[in-house]
Amino acid sequence: MKRVFSLADKSHGQGGIFYSWQRAHGNYLATTGFDHAVRIYDRHGELKEEINLPGMCTGLGWDSDGDILAIVCEKSTAIILWDANSHRTTQIDSGLKDTMTFLKWSNTGPQLAVGTLKGNLMIYNHQTSRKIPIIGKHIKKITCGAWSAENLLALGSEDKTISISNADGDTLRQATIRADPAEIDFSEMKGDERSAIGQNTVSVVVGKKTLFLYNINDPENPIELAFQQRYGSIISYKWYGDGYILIGFSHGYFVVISTHLKEIGQELFQARNHKDSLASIAISTSLNKAASCGDNCIKIHDLSDLKEMYAIITLEDERGLDKIAWTDDGQLLAVSTQKGNLHVYLARLPMLAAVTQTRVAHLTSLLEVTIDDLVTKEPPITIAIEVEPSFLGIGQYHVAVGMNNRAWFYLLGDDGPQRLKDREYLGTVQSISLNGDYAAVSFEGKVQLHMIEGETTAATDERETRLFPGKDDRDVRITCHDMTPEFLIYGTDRGDVRYFFIEDWQFVVEYRHLAGIRKLFPDPSGTRLVFVDEKTDGYVYNAVNDTVIDIPSFSASIKGVLWENWQLDKSVFVAYDSEKLYTYVYCRESVTGSQVLYVGETRLPYGQIPIMLHNGEITLQTQSGKLGNLQLDTHSHVFHENPQDLKPAELLTAAQQCIKLRRFRDAWIFCHYVNRREVWVELGRAALHSLDLDFAIRVYRNIGDVGMVTSLQKVKTIEDKNLLSGYIAMFLGEFNSAQDLFLASSYPLAALEMRRDLLHWDSALQLAKALAPEQISYISREYAQQLEFTGDYMNSLSHYEKGITREEKAREHDEICAAGIARMSIRTGDIRRGVAMAMKMSSKGLKKECAGILESMKQWTEAATLYEQGHYYDKAASVYIRGKNWNKVGELLQHITSPKIHAQYAKAKEADGRYKEAAEAYKMAKEWDHVIRINLEFLQNPEEAVKIVQETQSVEGAKMVAKFFQKLNDYASAIQFLVMSKCNDEAFQLAQSHNQMEVYADIIGSDATPEDYQSIAVHFENEKNHYLSGKFFLLSGQYSRAMKHFLRCNGEDSQAIELAIETVGRANDDQLTHQLIDFLMGETDGMPKDAKYLFRLYMALKQYREAARTAIIIAREEQSAGNYRNAHDVLFSMYQELKDNRIKIPAEMATNLMILHSYILAKIHIKRGDHLKGARMLIRVANNISKFPSHIVPLLTSTVIECQRSGLKNSAFSYAAMLMRPEYRNQIDLKYKKKIEMIVRKPDKTEEDEPLSPCPICGFQLPETELMCPECKNNLPYCIITGRHVVSEDLTACPTCDFPAIFPEFIKLLESEESCPMCAEKVIRENLTKITDTKKYMFPEEGVTE
């Protein structure tokens, strides 16, 4: 804090100094000491008055207004009064005989209380000059006293009593205390309820040790508070806040207690402010500060947070401080010392500041103004001024300061500030505003505009000065004004806002408001201003288009408004009261026209005043005269160069702040990093509200909202602003606003279209009446449909009736309305009308709807009739059934498809005893059990019942039929149907009891459980039927028991052996396998069995090599017996098994299969008349004739004949010669014998060579039927159609057996045959395809195991 002035020691002689600040204003300081004088100084330390006294001053004090200083002293009975306004001194006689020791002015009235050495009291009324002496108020010296807010007087005396009196001196209460009183005061103790008296408590320090609290409402229960001894004596105390007391102790302690009954006695705060001693404390309620002095320093605390030390003032050259006191306004703080020195410090400057653009002029001392520019950071300019100013203004080149009716002007030149002149005005100046050339000064409801550097004498130029308001507005009072570079703007108590254009020297804008204007705040250009009217409502006025917009959430206690100085945010302004700053955005363009949006609030630091706003940062003037900065909470996250460094929550806050502030480009960046759809949508909606359509389209395109982008692109070219705003409001869901805007546009029908689309039919009808009467019928229909859907049938009927047009072009519309009338008539109870209309109309759907309504109303007859008329026969029959109208049901039966209805009808007929009709109806309903039941029980038609059971496989039906046959003793049939009905146990018992087990066993088949099979097996076991017993033990999985029975069967029983083989195959048990092999080999009974069984055993055991060897043996036996087809089939099946299991085919098997297949092919070729191919195959067979011992002669005979027939004369001769051998000659068929003998006798050995074809592996040309390539030494696969080796270009394979063939030959064969010669399976022509990958056929042994 800055020291303003000091009074040197001994200014009042030896000893201490006593002083008192002027109440209210704090302009004067009265001091006294031991020198019998009172001196009065102004706030700058200049002596204004000195009053000499006959004795030492015993008391001095100022009245509540600070106008009168009262002084009493020893050796005089007079009271000296000094008038601060006239500086005159007067004396009044107190009438008291003894020495006056105490005086105290009332806080609320003109009374002055004076106490004496002997305890007498005099109350003097300064207004009436009445003196009331009260003799003997106390019996000893009155030492202290205080007045309450209710004008009660409390006094403390050395007689150890305190008294409470009224303003006339009458004693109301009196209390005795234990020691001398000091520091008496009034206040209110904290309680649950406010006291009716107000200041209900008298507090007094007793004996410097305790604090005595005396409640006027409860005089019998005073409270006396004692404190810790280490604190020392009570030096002083002060009440503050809501019942808190701050107490200073002699040992330097500083303690706060509460007087609330729940908290009394508790220390809320305690600190040792001073090391050695504390001398005094003081509280400034205007500053909300507390000060204590002690040792050689002053410490100042903030009352809102006592832990925070606001300031420390150290007096280096002083020891032993004495008393400390603030002025009422808190601006000055005085401290005295025990030596008699007094120092005054500036605690708070008058909060004076003015702003032009970014330059701020503010008071930095009582006689100093500083100009700062916190944006451009220019060096500050300091101006020393002559007076302590009460107003301040700054322009582009000048600064003005002043007080009362006088102003001093300073030029801000390049050489520093220079005083230009001073000027007096016609009244006390309230405020002053400057621009580059002019000053506008407000005083007594007027504003004087004058040139700053013009002449002060009467000027000839009318543009030098002008007084507002003019002569025509003498009754108008100007309440506020401001200046911009071009305009003087002022507001009046009549509600006028007027713009005076200085360049043209005339008014250019005039606006009349409904209430008087209290304050106005223009933006830097003056085109927009905020004004506050007498009702404390705030508005934004746009002088360009003469519009006024209400400001939302506008506090009634607003003190000022600051417009944003940053050009890019010029629509932002801040309003402030004593606690908060409120941020707003003015939107000149929006969907609803110009509007002001509330953005948010920021807490204002206590005691600081906002003076400028630049880019979201408030410049604050502090009580110390310094400037501070405060970032608005609404802008806290807006400024960030690296958004990617922010946390997600901070990014979201930044995006939302930018959206609210209409900083859309910045918002886009933050939204990009947040990347949440709801934030993008919020940005898009804000852009739409501001009619920034291009940006909104960009946003919605970014989030993929195709519908919104398309809609906006359609409307963005609309020039009618109201129409465009209407569509935007509609897109935003603000339909009422949209309607108002549409109606104000060039296309009001858009409002009707919107309401129709939204199904807002009441609004649509009202709009249609005014805009498009021809649409009423159609809207009525749509409204009726919605009402019908919601169940409001009466109103729906009314609107359907209103919808009828009776116009040919609206025929379809009228039909819909008529259908609605029909439905609603039925709904509302007019059934006859509704049914008649429905019958008359051709719509089947309407009949169904009306019938459905009638059905729900239980009007069965009408409902069924309408269903029937609409050809909904199932529904009609269902309703007729509900109405018990079976005759109608019978008439409709042929049209009915619903099984349920047929079933209902059947039940009715059955109940009537008409079983045949019932059976037919049950058949139609597909309820077969009932059909079976009726056929068996009533119609005596078991054949039909059995037929139905066999067709439907009905379980319940089978049970019924089984019971029926049981009654007839037809147990075989009964068993059959019991099995069919899954009643296996019953069937088994029936079969067992009636010796029908074989029948049961046949019937049960493969569908039974192992338990069922076991039961049957045990039965046959008991019957000694080994075959059937073994069969059912096999089916039940008991393989060893099954094998035992099979081996007991007759050795020649092939079926038993086959099942024994199957048993071994399933069991996979070595013991059973050896047992069966021994049986087959004849080890058991000495009778070897047929080798085919051994083959089947090996196959069942998947022992394919053994099976292959056995197959070769069997095939050889079959060949020897002449059963070539059987031999072929055995080898083929074995070949396929080995191939499927990827086991190498034995060469002998492959060769034998090839020879047998050649024999079969020879027969096929000869049959088809292809003798050459037949001859070639027979030659291959004849070359291996030893494999056909049973038919050597017939085969050779056939070979000779076919060779002769196909021109192979040499081959015919060779085989004819073989036939002529003695062993064959006599066996030749007589039919061919002579011919063969002729071939031998007269040989013709001419024969063409066999055609060549390429080897499919290496391409070497070799004879077609040759199956070994001499070049590559590979065995070649043969064609199963021709017997020749295959060719790779025309390769195919049988789809079933996968043996290769020549494609064209296979096709040719299928023209006369339909099955494959190898596997005898049927082949479809379309399934044959050429094979490109021939590898697996050329090298079949690859990938197989040895």
Side-chain angles (χ1 to χ4, degrees):
M1 287 186 183
K2 197 179 214 179
R3 188 183 293 185
V4 180
F5 67 91
S6 295
L7 298 181
D9 57 348
K10 301 179 183 176
S11 58
H12 283 282
Q14 293 292 335
I17 185 169
F18 309 96
Y19 61 93
S20 176
W21 281 108
Q22 182 189 22
R23 299 275 293 276
H25 309 296
N27 288 329
Y28 295 106
L29 178 68
T31 64
T32 186
F34 294 95
D35 62 347
H36 301 189
V38 171
R39 295 188 182 87
I40 300 169
Y41 298 90
D42 68 7
R43 59 196 285 133
H44 304 297
E46 293 182 14
L47 181 64
K48 293 296 182 183
E49 190 79 35
E50 184 170 352
I51 303 169
N52 292 311
L53 307 175
M56 193 175 77
C57 178
T58 55
L60 75 165
W62 297 87
D63 70 350
S64 59
D65 296 325
D67 294 332
I68 304 296
L69 173 68
I71 306 167
V72 295
C73 63
E74 295 175 342
K75 301 177 184 178
S76 173
T77 60
I79 301 171
I80 300 168
L81 301 177
W82 182 76
D83 190 317
N85 295 321
S86 64
H87 289 205
R88 292 177 58 187
T89 304
T90 57
Q91 291 189 7
I92 56 170
D93 185 11
S94 67
L96 298 170
K97 303 300 183 185
D98 53 329
T99 304
M100 293 178 283
T101 58
F102 160 80
L103 69 77
K104 190 75 174 179
W105 285 96
S106 168
N107 295 324
T108 56
Q111 291 87 0
L112 171 68
V114 180
T116 71
L117 187 67
K118 294 181 179 179
N120 298 320
L121 174 69
M122 189 272 287
I123 297 176
Y124 167 68
N125 189 315
H126 182 61
Q127 277 186 352
T128 62
S129 299
R130 181 187 175 199
K131 292 179 282 187
I132 304 173
I134 300 99
I135 305 301
K137 174 62 77 173
H138 287 272
I139 58 174
K140 287 188 179 180
K141 177 182 176 181
I142 295 174
T143 56
C144 56
W147 288 89
S148 77
E150 289 75 30
N151 227 20
L152 298 179
L153 174 65
L155 297 173
S157 166
E158 289 181 353
D159 62 6
K160 298 178 184 175
T161 63
I162 57 173
S163 64
I164 300 170
S165 312
N166 61 17
D168 294 327
D170 301 329
T171 301
L172 303 178
R173 293 272 191 278
Q174 192 159 5
T176 304
I177 53 179
R178 292 186 296 178
D180 289 345
E183 297 268 339
I184 200 164
D185 201 359
F186 271 101
S187 191
E188 182 182 356
M189 281 179 66
K190 284 177 71 177
D192 294 330
E193 295 180 3
R194 289 284 175 190
S195 169
I197 296 177
Q199 291 186 333
N200 59 3
T201 303
V202 175
S203 57
V204 63
V205 175
V206 177
K208 295 187 179 181
K209 293 295 182 185
T210 62
L211 185 63
F212 184 81
L213 302 177
Y214 180 80
N215 192 323
I216 299 171
N217 296 333
D218 188 11
E220 302 301 323
N221 297 301
I223 297 169
E224 191 166 3
L225 300 175
F227 301 92
Q228 298 179 44
Q229 287 187 358
R230 66 190 179 95
Y231 291 171
S233 303
I234 298 175
I235 297 297
S236 182
Y237 73 93
K238 301 292 178 186
W239 288 84
Y240 76 95
D242 193 10
Y244 296 107
I245 304 176
L246 175 68
I247 310 169
F249 293 89
S250 59
H251 290 172
Y253 288 92
F254 186 77
V255 177
V256 175
I257 63 169
S258 168
T259 59
H260 197 291
L261 289 176
K262 293 178 182 176
E263 300 172 341
I264 201 156
Q266 294 181 20
E267 294 181 3
L268 303 181
F269 174 77
Q270 180 257 43
R272 190 167 187 178
N273 257 15
H274 304 280
K275 184 179 178 183
D276 297 327
S277 65
L278 181 147
S280 179
I281 61 171
I283 280 180
S284 171
T285 54
S286 60
L287 285 182
N288 203 39
K289 299 283 190 296
S292 69
C293 67
D295 302 336
N296 69 333
C297 69
I298 302 168
K299 292 188 178 180
I300 300 173
H301 295 260
D302 194 320
L303 286 176
S304 58
D305 184 4
L306 287 164
K307 293 177 183 177
E308 181 184 338
M309 188 73 70
Y310 176 74
I312 299 176
I313 305 169
T314 303
L315 289 80
E316 299 288 351
D317 51 348
E318 294 287 358
R319 291 289 181 273
L321 301 184
D322 190 13
K323 297 293 179 187
I324 189 167
W326 302 87
T327 56
D328 283 359
D329 60 8
Q331 289 187 7
L332 298 174
L333 175 65
V335 60
S336 62
T337 70
Q338 294 169 3
K339 289 182 182 178
N341 295 346
L342 187 139
H343 306 282
V344 176
Y345 292 89
L346 185 62
R348 183 181 75 173
L349 276 169
M351 304 288 267
L352 278 182
V355 177
T356 178
Q357 296 175 349
T358 58
R359 298 172 85 190
V360 179
H362 59 108
L363 207 60
T364 47
S365 181
L366 292 176
L367 299 174
E368 181 183 89
V369 172
T370 301
I371 300 167
D372 286 297
D373 193 324
L374 299 180
V375 177
T376 61
K377 306 296 183 184
E378 292 179 3
I381 300 170
T382 303
I383 303 173
I385 54 178
E386 299 176 9
V387 296
E388 182 181 337
S390 59
F391 59 86
L392 172 65
I394 184 171
Q396 191 173 355
Y397 310 111
H398 307 89
V399 170
V401 297
M403 64 181 294
N404 298 331
N405 67 336
R406 191 172 177 187
W408 285 262
F409 292 88
Y410 295 85
L411 175 65
L412 303 174
D414 295 336
D415 299 330
Q418 300 173 10
R419 179 179 161 185
L420 285 177
K421 61 178 181 180
D422 61 289
R423 180 165 183 157
E424 292 189 359
Y425 299 97
L426 301 175
T428 301
V429 175
Q430 275 86 42
S431 63
I432 187 168
S433 300
L434 311 179
N435 66 11
D437 301 313
Y438 285 85
V441 182
S442 169
F443 56 88
E444 296 180 358
K446 298 179 176 61
V447 168
Q448 183 172 350
L449 176 68
H450 65 84
M451 290 188 72
I452 297 172
E453 298 190 31
E455 296 296 327
T456 54
T457 56
T460 55
D461 187 356
E462 64 168 4
R463 296 173 62 89
E464 184 170 313
T465 185
R466 179 166 175 173
L467 189 65
F468 301 91
K471 295 177 182 178
D472 299 336
D473 295 319
R474 290 184 182 275
D475 58 337
V476 175
R477 182 178 178 83
I478 295 175
T479 55
C480 49
H481 82 286
D482 208 333
M483 286 188 78
T484 69
E486 290 83 20
F487 302 103
L488 164 65
I489 308 166
Y490 66 81
T492 70
D493 60 353
R494 193 171 64 185
D496 298 314
V497 175
R498 308 189 76 177
Y499 277 67
F500 183 78
F501 188 29
I502 296 171
E503 185 176 333
D504 291 351
W505 207 251
Q506 64 180 10
F507 289 103
V508 289
V509 175
E510 296 186 31
Y511 167 72
R512 173 69 62 87
H513 187 58
L514 297 174
I517 309 298
R518 184 180 290 178
K519 302 173 186 174
L520 57 77
F521 308 94
D523 72 353
S525 66
T527 55
R528 295 169 296 190
L529 62 82
V530 173
F531 68 83
V532 182
D533 65 13
E534 289 177 345
K535 299 176 182 176
T536 67
D537 294 329
Y539 302 87
V540 173
Y541 174 66
N542 189 326
V544 177
N545 54 19
D546 198 37
T547 56
V548 173
I549 308 299
D550 182 33
I551 301 175
S553 305
F554 196 76
S555 169
S557 56
I558 288 297
K559 293 184 175 181
V561 173
L562 301 174
W563 284 89
E564 176 63 75
N565 268 298
W566 192 47
Q567 191 62 24
L568 295 179
D569 251 359
K570 61 183 180 181
S571 296
V572 174
F573 65 89
V574 168
Y576 62 89
D577 56 21
S578 58
E579 295 181 351
K580 294 178 181 177
L581 295 141
Y582 307 90
T583 307
Y584 297 91
V585 176
Y586 170 70
C587 299
R588 190 172 64 85
E589 295 283 350
S590 81
V591 170
T592 53
S594 299
Q595 64 174 349
V596 175
L597 301 176
Y598 174 65
V599 178
E601 62 184 43
T602 305
R603 188 156 195 83
L604 182 64
Y606 178 80
Q608 300 187 14
I609 298 177
I611 53 177
M612 187 181 75
L613 172 62
H614 181 81
N615 201 11
E617 194 169 73
I618 293 285
T619 299
L620 298 168
Q621 186 179 18
T622 65
Q623 295 171 349
S624 64
K626 296 179 181 179
L627 298 181
N629 289 331
L630 174 67
Q631 182 82 57
L632 290 172
D633 289 348
T634 53
H635 293 62
S636 59
H637 291 78
V638 169
F639 311 104
H640 209 285
E641 293 182 1
N642 300 308
Q644 65 272 16
D645 297 340
L646 293 175
K647 297 176 182 176
E650 294 172 336
L651 281 169
L652 181 60
T653 302
Q656 290 170 338
Q657 287 180 351
C658 288
I659 292 169
K660 287 181 178 178
L661 292 167
R662 294 307 187 254
R663 293 185 168 200
F664 294 141
R665 300 320 184 257
D666 294 337
W668 176 280
I669 296 169
F670 291 116
C671 285
H672 171 73
Y673 286 104
V674 174
N675 200 25
R676 279 167 50 180
R677 183 179 178 83
E678 63 269 22
V679 184
W680 282 113
V681 170
E682 188 181 344
L683 175 58
R685 289 178 68 86
L688 286 179
H689 263 294
S690 300
L691 295 182
D692 191 345
L693 297 195
D694 289 330
F695 188 81
I697 288 170
R698 183 182 167 202
V699 171
Y700 283 111
R701 182 177 285 125
N702 185 63
I703 61 175
D705 192 338
V706 178
M708 184 64 89
V709 171
T710 306
S711 301
L712 292 175
Q713 285 177 333
K714 284 181 181 177
V715 302
K716 67 178 287 190
T717 55
I718 294 174
E719 295 182 0
D720 184 335
K721 185 181 175 185
N722 284 331
L723 184 59
L724 175 62
S725 298
Y727 281 119
I728 300 303
M730 183 175 74
F731 297 156
L732 292 170
E734 298 168 3
F735 304 120
N736 291 334
S737 298
Q739 177 173 315
D740 295 341
L741 290 162
F742 283 140
L743 292 175
S745 74
S746 58
Y747 184 59
L749 275 175
L752 175 58
E753 292 169 0
M754 177 189 73
R755 290 299 183 186
R756 286 185 70 172
D757 292 340
L758 292 170
L759 310 183
H760 295 171
W761 302 114
D762 284 327
S763 302
L765 280 171
Q766 290 175 359
L767 290 168
K769 286 174 186 174
L771 301 174
E774 70 279 359
Q775 295 284 324
I776 291 175
S777 298
Y778 300 98
I779 295 170
S780 293
R781 183 198 81 199
E782 292 174 348
Y783 192 11
Q785 288 171 330
Q786 186 185 1
L787 290 170
E788 179 181 358
F789 179 73
T790 57
D792 188 352
Y793 302 124
M794 286 296 294
N795 286 324
S796 178
L797 176 61
S798 170
H799 283 288
Y800 273 129
E801 289 171 340
K802 289 176 185 175
I804 297 288
T805 64
R806 294 185 174 81
E807 295 177 4
E808 184 60 33
K809 63 180 181 179
R811 187 172 179 181
E812 185 179 346
H813 162 78
D814 283 357
E815 285 179 358
I816 294 171
C817 290
I821 293 168
R823 288 193 302 274
M824 294 308 100
S825 296
I826 296 170
R827 291 277 194 196
T828 54
D830 193 351
I831 293 173
R832 184 177 295 176
R833 179 190 182 194
V835 171
M837 289 187 73
M839 297 281 278
K840 198 183 296 180
M841 296 181 72
S842 59
S843 170
K844 289 171 67 175
L846 173 62
K847 292 182 175 66
K848 183 180 180 183
E849 289 169 356
C850 291
I853 297 166
L854 288 164
E855 188 180 354
S856 68
M857 296 166 69
K858 298 186 179 178
Q859 302 294 320
W860 311 123
T861 305
E862 292 84 353
T865 304
L866 280 176
Y867 276 132
E868 189 177 351
Q869 286 285 322
H871 298 170
Y872 296 101
Y873 297 114
D874 286 3
K875 291 292 290 180
S878 176
V879 177
Y880 277 133
I881 288 170
R882 286 188 181 183
K884 309 297 183 190
N885 192 342
W886 297 107
N887 292 332
K888 291 294 288 183
V889 177
E891 291 174 17
L892 297 176
L893 216 53
Q894 59 183 341
H895 301 295
I896 294 169
T897 57
S898 168
K900 186 179 176 183
I901 294 168
H902 281 292
Q904 287 176 303
Y905 183 70
K907 284 175 186 172
K909 288 300 172 186
E910 185 181 350
D912 289 346
R914 300 170 71 175
Y915 301 116
K916 194 166 184 180
E917 291 178 37
E920 287 299 318
Y922 277 130
K923 246 187 213 180
M924 296 293 287
K926 293 186 170 49
E927 295 199 2
W928 303 111
D929 294 346
H930 289 296
V931 180
I932 294 163
R933 179 177 56 78
I934 287 176
N935 272 293
L936 292 174
E937 293 179 10
F938 301 111
L939 298 179
Q940 303 303 318
N941 189 357
E943 294 84 0
E944 182 68 17
V946 169
K947 181 182 172 187
I948 292 168
V949 169
Q950 288 172 339
E951 288 176 357
T952 62
Q953 296 292 307
S954 166
V955 172
E956 288 300 318
K959 278 186 190 176
M960 287 187 279
V961 172
K963 285 178 185 174
F964 179 80
F965 281 122
Q966 244 176 302
K967 289 176 186 176
L968 297 177
N969 297 326
D970 185 351
Y971 301 114
S973 299
I975 291 167
Q976 178 185 349
F977 286 100
L978 280 171
V979 171
M980 193 180 291
S981 64
K982 310 294 183 190
C983 298
N984 289 357
D985 290 342
E986 293 174 32
F988 177 78
Q989 289 166 9
L990 187 64
Q992 198 172 28
S993 59
H994 293 93
N995 200 23
Q996 297 286 328
M997 191 56 73
E998 291 191 31
V999 173
Y1000 174 63
D1002 287 342
I1003 291 167
I1004 199 166
S1006 59
D1007 295 332
T1009 63
E1011 290 77 14
D1012 292 334
Y1013 290 132
Q1014 184 179 350
S1015 300
I1016 299 168
V1018 169
H1019 172 80
F1020 284 122
E1021 188 176 34
N1022 295 333
E1023 295 286 325
K1024 306 296 184 187
N1025 187 335
H1026 298 299
Y1027 172 72
L1028 290 175
S1029 179
K1031 175 182 176 182
F1032 286 100
F1033 275 129
L1034 169 61
L1035 290 171
S1036 69
Q1038 298 185 33
Y1039 302 120
S1040 58
R1041 291 181 73 177
M1043 179 62 76
K1044 183 177 72 171
H1045 285 287
F1046 286 138
L1047 295 183
R1048 285 182 184 174
C1049 292
N1050 184 0
E1052 299 301 320
D1053 190 342
S1054 61
Q1055 286 183 319
I1057 297 173
E1058 293 282 358
L1059 288 177
I1061 291 169
E1062 186 178 342
T1063 303
V1064 170
R1066 287 195 195 179
N1068 197 19
D1069 185 329
D1070 290 344
Q1071 186 179 349
L1072 291 181
T1073 304
H1074 292 310
Q1075 197 176 343
L1076 181 57
I1077 289 172
D1078 289 345
F1079 175 75
L1080 293 176
M1081 292 297 195
E1083 299 289 336
T1084 307
D1085 55 5
M1087 294 173 59
K1089 309 301 182 290
D1090 195 328
K1092 68 181 179 183
Y1093 299 123
L1094 198 57
F1095 166 69
R1096 286 178 188 153
L1097 173 62
Y1098 286 135
M1099 288 295 289
L1101 294 171
K1102 299 184 180 179
Q1103 295 180 5
Y1104 298 114
R1105 290 185 179 84
E1106 289 77 2
R1109 284 196 288 271
T1110 309
I1112 292 168
I1113 295 166
I1114 292 168
R1116 198 179 294 146
E1117 289 176 358
E1118 291 286 357
Q1119 263 180 282
S1120 299
N1123 300 324
Y1124 306 123
R1125 186 76 215 190
N1126 289 350
H1128 178 278
D1129 291 344
V1130 168
L1131 291 176
F1132 169 72
S1133 61
M1134 192 64 238
Y1135 190 102
Q1136 291 296 82
E1137 285 289 344
L1138 293 173
K1139 188 165 75 168
D1140 291 343
N1141 288 280
R1142 304 187 66 78
I1143 295 172
K1144 187 175 180 183
I1145 312 296
E1148 184 181 356
M1149 177 184 286
T1151 304
N1152 288 350
L1153 180 60
M1154 181 268 293
I1155 294 166
L1156 285 168
H1157 190 64
S1158 299
Y1159 167 75
I1160 289 167
L1161 285 180
K1163 293 174 72 175
I1164 293 171
H1165 292 322
I1166 292 165
K1167 180 184 171 186
R1168 292 176 62 230
D1170 193 343
H1171 298 289
L1172 180 58
K1173 287 179 184 161
R1176 293 290 183 197
M1177 291 301 101
L1178 284 171
I1179 290 170
R1180 184 179 290 163
V1181 170
N1183 288 338
N1184 296 277
I1185 198 65
S1186 60
K1187 296 187 185 296
F1188 301 89
S1190 299
H1191 296 85
I1192 293 175
V1193 173
L1195 281 173
L1196 289 174
T1197 303
S1198 297
T1199 304
V1200 171
I1201 291 166
E1202 287 302 315
C1203 287
Q1204 186 70 21
R1205 189 180 289 175
S1206 55
L1208 302 177
K1209 308 282 184 161
N1210 191 37
S1211 297
F1213 168 76
S1214 298
Y1215 296 113
M1218 195 181 295
L1219 274 173
M1220 288 296 107
R1221 291 177 186 170
E1223 62 268 30
Y1224 303 135
R1225 188 165 189 168
N1226 294 329
Q1227 297 175 35
I1228 300 171
D1229 192 336
L1230 294 174
K1231 193 167 40 172
Y1232 303 112
K1233 192 171 184 181
K1234 284 186 180 181
K1235 190 173 183 179
I1236 291 169
E1237 289 175 348
M1238 187 64 68
I1239 291 170
V1240 174
R1241 287 191 189 124
K1242 294 181 180 181
D1244 183 356
K1245 296 185 180 181
T1246 59
E1247 182 176 323
E1248 291 184 16
D1249 291 337
E1250 185 179 353
L1252 304 177
S1253 62
C1255 167
I1257 296 172
C1258 67
F1260 179 76
Q1261 295 290 330
L1262 70 160
E1264 288 177 331
T1265 57
E1266 183 62 53
L1267 299 182
M1268 167 69 83
C1269 177
E1271 182 69 22
C1272 61
K1273 309 300 184 191
N1274 281 310
N1275 286 317
L1276 304 182
Y1278 56 90
C1279 168
I1280 58 172
I1281 306 301
T1282 61
R1284 302 170 181 166
H1285 67 75
V1286 298
V1287 289
S1288 56
E1289 292 80 10
D1290 281 322
L1291 185 65
T1292 186
C1294 171
T1296 306
C1297 64
D1298 201 32
F1299 269 79
I1302 297 170
F1303 184 74
E1305 297 291 344
F1306 211 147
I1307 298 296
K1308 199 183 295 181
L1309 175 71
L1310 291 178
E1311 292 173 4
S1312 57
E1313 305 287 333
E1314 59 179 16
S1315 57
C1316 168
M1318 179 62 79
C1319 61
E1321 295 292 333
K1322 189 174 181 179
V1323 178
I1324 299 170
R1325 158 75 178 85
E1326 288 72 22
N1327 292 343
L1328 280 182
T1329 55
K1330 280 192 178 183
I1331 294 169
T1332 54
D1333 185 5
T1334 62
K1335 187 174 180 182
K1336 76 169 185 172
Y1337 299 102
M1338 301 303 144
F1339 305 104
E1341 66 278 3
E1342 283 189 13
V1344 300
T1345 57
E1346 291 294 331

